[in-house]
DNA sequence: AATGAATGAGAATTCATTCAT
DNA sequence: GATGAATGAATTCTCATTCAT
């Protein structure tokens, strides 16, 4: 549990790490289940097995807990995805593996992932929100650089990287955000497979030259689309 | 403003519609800007130009207002998208138009769209959340049926409809959810174009037979992907 | 109960006056008995016969109550002393009457008078403290102008007005501040009589010329003292 | 630092004296600047250079610190005034010197002097307050006996000793209590001179027999005043 | 003796909700 | 129907005091 601008009264770094760990773990659970405002400091303290006053030895205010909870989520992304990519060298393999890993991290931290969408606004709008956004951008870099490598090697088309990256990210988050829907309909493995399938080769059917040209024209009216010939 | 299981003390349906309209409009604005918990009934009443007591003649409790606000957002989708599709008959055209329309509706109600992600959990978990989810499923049907039509006519591949629909939906919502990122980087038109581009034809480069086979094999390891031959 | 920069949520001035009156009366009693910090809002509300929440419809924070309580005390001085002087025209008579009246006001508001000494520091140091001090200076003007009139007419010596006025004021306040001492030893009437006695003619014995000169010389060593010849 | 009924866990009297000295010195500073309730044990401990837990080895509770702080202030009076009187034998000289010394002690301990007025009520009303009052009475004895000596020797009139003593004491304290007023208007030396001037010979102008008789009559109506003939 | 982490009672303040007018 | 004053439960945060080390 890094400090991240969050002040603590206690000095001992080990103790800080331990206590903050307890508190953040409890808070993550409760924030995810009940939401930030419905969760009281007393609830958090009780679940963490400490007194409510002690929370304030490690966090200046309730919102600081939320901050660390959210940073934890983001950190779990930028920790676990690179880890999954270790040893994978082929650019396209790396990209696919990254998508796969992202979805699986989200799945593992499902509640926390949703939390990030729900509660970021509960932070005061100052540098703390920026902290979160900065972290999100950093995490996205992992995906982005995999995408760029693929483009560089001509493995994927020259698409807009920002849009593609967020398409991937949102799809992954979607597994958590819409788990109420997917849960009973599809497994994580299938979800990942289908998502990659669509992303990689699109949805259009392969068509004869004539058809394709027609399709292409129609699609091109919508904008930049350059169907492969 | 339909009643939607939300009880009111006042009888006159016209008055109910008018007052609820005022209140929901004010609440939408404030919930979007400040969040559900930070917004007080007094704030809403003041912005709506009525007294705080009067709110309770039209809503049993604060959460009922949120419910209507969220239903309003969802309704704006299922109202405006079909409207945009009027007169468009070709299935693929309809699908592309639907995506386009969805993104534009989200753009218009940006704050409200984000609100749906942030505040749904503020509703008690009972039938009210189901109400929202039911409505979301209904809205998604519009996209889903366009997809299915395309598949039926062989215009797009047999992809998993649920996954594709949510991919589209999340991409559209992404425009609002990540507007802090896109705002300074890309226009709505570009965003829509790029999104459709990726969805339609995927990201892989068109390759010679040999290459493609190799790619395909690799991709297939990841799951179902069946690259077109 | 004038507003004095203290904000209220309620608009109706009559109601404000009534409620603030209740609250300030209760608070005065409790602050005097228990001190500012030992007194809780709940205590005040209960004694005032209202709910604790209602207090915050008429005062923004606890310290605002203290402010009004203190201003009330000071106002009682500047209201009651001039009233006692009505019809008294002879300057010396006015001065003596003023001293007498001051002591009696202090006696009547004994607890509140002490409160002013105890709790002014509990106010935030900004303009609120200045407000109190400004008011004190204004009240002292009543005494000061009586003193000046006497001097102008040659009824009393040219003493330092500031010092004299505070001597009078402190003596009057002393009746409250040291009531634990005086209570069992002397009556208010006696106290006033003795105080005026000392102030008017000092404490030195009338002495023969020679003695007096010696005394005078000794006294003069201490400073400005100019014994009358 | 005498024990004064204040219990300590530590045995070694020297250590007790040293630690209590540190704590009381720090507390005096903080109480004076921030007030009793605004000052925390942690603040005191930090300023005293010890841990907060250690405070409770030398004081049973926070109020015990206040008690010692206040006793310290009172002791500084009864220590420094007699010291200033050393070698002064003439009764009137002693009285004047006592007044002078009192004002100067108050000036030196200005913050602490005010503290006594502000915080005595923060003590529980039991024997501890009595302890303070007893000490105050003792200090006043120094002034009182000087006054009595003067009266005995016919140097000053037979005025009410209690009233006169408190008049002197309050005037001296006034220098601290109203320093916000005097600070910019008068020096300590002037203040002392003027105060003594008024006390010694009163404020009435010396007048011809006829005038004086009139004045006397008027003054006498107010009470006991017996103008010297 | 000393430290400082831990406790938990307590207090100010807010605000959804009710109710008299 | 409408108003807005009144209620009181609930929550955050502070800090005196205790206690394990």
């Amino acid at each position: 549990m890094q400090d991240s601008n969050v002040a603590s009264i206690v000095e001992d770094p080990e103790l800080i790490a331990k206590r903050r760990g307890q508190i953040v773990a409890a808070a993550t659970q409760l924030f995810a289940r009940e939401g930030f405002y419905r969760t009281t400091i007393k609830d958090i303290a009780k679940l963490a097995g400490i007194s409510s006053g002690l929370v304030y030895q490690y966090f200046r205010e309730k919102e600081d807990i939320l901050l660390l909870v959210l940073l934890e989520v983001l950190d779990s992304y930028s920790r676990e995805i690179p880890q999954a990519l270790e040893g994978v060298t082929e650019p396209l393999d790396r990209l696919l593996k990254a998508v796969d890993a992202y979805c699986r991290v989200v799945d593992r931290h499902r509640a926390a992932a949703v939390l990030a969408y729900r509660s970021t606004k509960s932070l005061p709008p100052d540098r703390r929100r920026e902290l979160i956004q900065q972290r999100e951008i950093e995490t996205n870099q992992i995906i982005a650089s995999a995408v760029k490598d693929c483009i560089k090697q001509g493995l994927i088309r020259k698409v807009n990287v920002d849009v593609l990256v967020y398409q991937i990210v949102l799809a992954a988050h979607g597994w958590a955000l819409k788990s109420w829907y997917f849960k009973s309909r599809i497994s994580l493995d299938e979800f990942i497979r289908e998502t990659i399938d669509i992303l990689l080769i699109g949805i259009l059917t392969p068509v004869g030259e004539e058809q394709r040209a027609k399709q292409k024209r129609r699609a091109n009216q919508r904008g930049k689309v350059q169907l492969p010939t």
Side-chain angles (χ1 to χ4, degrees), chain A:
Chain A
M1 189 73 26
Q2 70 288 265
D3 64 313
S4 310
N5 299 29
V6 175
S8 163
I9 287 168
V10 176
E11 301 277 286
D12 178 17
E14 254 184 59
L15 192 52
I16 292 181
K18 179 186 152 196
R19 290 301 193 204
R20 283 197 176 164
Q22 283 178 86
I23 294 166
V24 165
T28 304
Q29 220 178 109
L30 292 169
F31 288 169
R33 195 192 316 145
E34 305 286 337
F36 178 71
Y37 284 102
R38 278 192 187 329
T39 301
T40 70
I41 295 288
K42 276 209 160 96
D43 293 340
I44 296 172
K46 186 187 286 181
L47 186 58
I50 59 176
S51 69
S52 62
L54 193 57
V55 172
Y56 287 88
Q57 302 258 3
Y58 297 93
F59 292 92
R60 206 168 42 76
E61 50 184 358
K62 195 185 170 190
E63 269 143 350
D64 280 341
I65 305 178
L66 178 58
L67 181 62
L68 275 211
V69 165
L70 294 176
L71 289 177
E72 264 283 280
V73 178
L74 293 175
D75 279 350
S76 71
Y77 297 159
S78 56
R79 217 180 321 110
E80 301 184 28
I81 298 172
Q83 197 175 319
L85 293 185
E86 260 169 34
V88 185
T89 50
E90 273 288 299
L92 191 58
D93 283 348
R94 285 181 66 86
L95 178 57
L96 296 182
K97 187 76 189 168
V99 175
D100 180 281
Y102 207 148
C103 291
R104 292 182 194 282
V105 181
V106 166
D107 180 60
R108 237 169 296 134
H109 307 284
R110 213 172 321 159
V114 176
L115 186 59
Y117 280 82
R118 284 223 320 274
S119 302
T120 307
K121 196 61 172 292
S122 302
L123 288 176
D126 58 346
R127 72 185 170 299
R128 290 201 273 190
R129 200 134 60 179
E130 285 165 29
L131 204 62
I132 294 290
Q133 296 180 341
Q134 191 48 47
R135 208 65 70 107
E136 177 172 322
I137 290 174
E138 281 166 33
T139 304
N140 290 354
Q141 289 301 343
I142 304 170
I143 312 277
S145 67
V147 167
K148 282 174 192 160
D149 285 351
C150 289
I151 293 178
K152 217 175 289 166
Q153 301 213 1
L155 296 166
I156 70 176
R157 298 185 296 130
K158 283 186 178 162
V159 293
N160 182 304
V161 177
D162 284 336
V163 173
L164 175 56
V165 166
Y166 266 114
Q167 192 116 326
I168 292 169
V169 165
L170 285 163
H173 289 168
W175 175 250
L177 290 168
K178 306 302 179 186
S179 81
W180 58 266
Y181 183 81
F182 288 126
K183 209 167 38 187
S184 62
R185 288 176 170 81
I186 194 175
S187 73
L188 174 60
D189 285 332
E190 281 174 286
F191 177 81
I192 295 173
R193 203 184 311 139
E194 298 291 339
T195 300
I196 289 179
D197 178 38
I198 292 167
L199 279 174
L200 278 190
I201 58 178
I203 57 180
L204 288 183
T205 46
V207 287
E209 276 315 297
E210 205 176 327
Q211 262 298 78
R212 161 161 296 199
K214 193 174 148 202
Q215 234 183 44
K216 191 171 150 187
R217 258 176 283 126
R218 188 191 300 121
N220 285 351
Q221 290 162 3
R222 299 238 54 80
K224 166 204 155 189
V225 181
Q226 295 304 328
L227 293 179
T229 13

